[in-house]
Amino acid sequence: MDGRRSQARTGKAYYQLTDETPVYVISVAAQLSGLHPQTLRQYDRLGLVSPDRTAGRGRRYSARDIELLRTVQALSQDEGINLAGIKRIIELENQVAALQQRVAELSSAVDGAAAVLQQREAQVHASYRRDLVPYQPPVPGNALVVWRPAPKRPQG
């Protein structure tokens, strides 16, 4: 199964149930979703909801699958969307979720690169010689200029 096996302090192994752990047989999934088991089989054949399979090829639905079945039912009955349209909506929602995950990964990578860049910049600034006096340009209006003509050279 998809649950994660953990070890308790007593040494006994147990599974942590998540929303993606396939635990419901088709009859229970049908009751929880309010649909007929044959409808669930039809949705599986169409690829709308794909439950996990046991070794004997029996279907096992997760809590996330049940929620998806309810969404399919609402789109079909309440909104009047056909099954092909629902399948496309589900595909697009999955694509959006994958793209959002990728954006989060790239944003994290950019943040990490910016931190490394700031650290390297700080190292460069720390390496400056402290015995040099920094140049400061003169303030306009406070400068005194003395001009003298150059002495004439004898021609000859």
Side-chain angles (χ1 to χ4, degrees), residues 1-3 15-26 28-29 32 51-52 54 59-66:
M1 291 205 170
D2 195 43
Y15 285 96
Q16 287 182 308
L17 296 179
T18 66
D19 285 346
E20 301 201 13
T21 306
V23 293
Y24 303 109
V25 295
I26 193 166
V28 174
L32 292 173
D52 283 356
T54 63
R59 293 173 175 89
R60 291 290 186 267
Y61 291 86
S62 67
R64 185 161 296 186
D65 292 333
I66 302 297

Side-chain angles (χ1 to χ4, degrees), residues 4 42 45 56 68 74 78 80-81 84 94 125 140 148 153:
R4 295 188 175 209
Q42 177 71 21
R45 280 191 293 276
L68 185 56
D78 299 340
I81 299 172
N94 291 339
H125 289 299
R148 292 189 185 134
R153 293 187 197 180

Side-chain angles (χ1 to χ4, degrees), residues 58-96:
R59 293 173 175 89
R60 291 290 186 267
Y61 291 86
S62 67
R64 185 161 296 186
D65 292 333
I66 302 297
E67 188 61 35
L68 185 56
L69 287 168
R70 291 176 181 160
T71 301
V72 170
Q73 179 186 26
L75 288 172
S76 176
Q77 293 179 356
D78 299 340
E79 303 296 327
I81 299 172
N82 65 21
L83 296 179
I86 293 171
K87 184 175 182 178
R88 184 66 179 142
I89 289 170
I90 292 170
E91 289 170 354
L92 290 173
E93 286 179 345
N94 291 339
Q95 186 178 5
V96 166

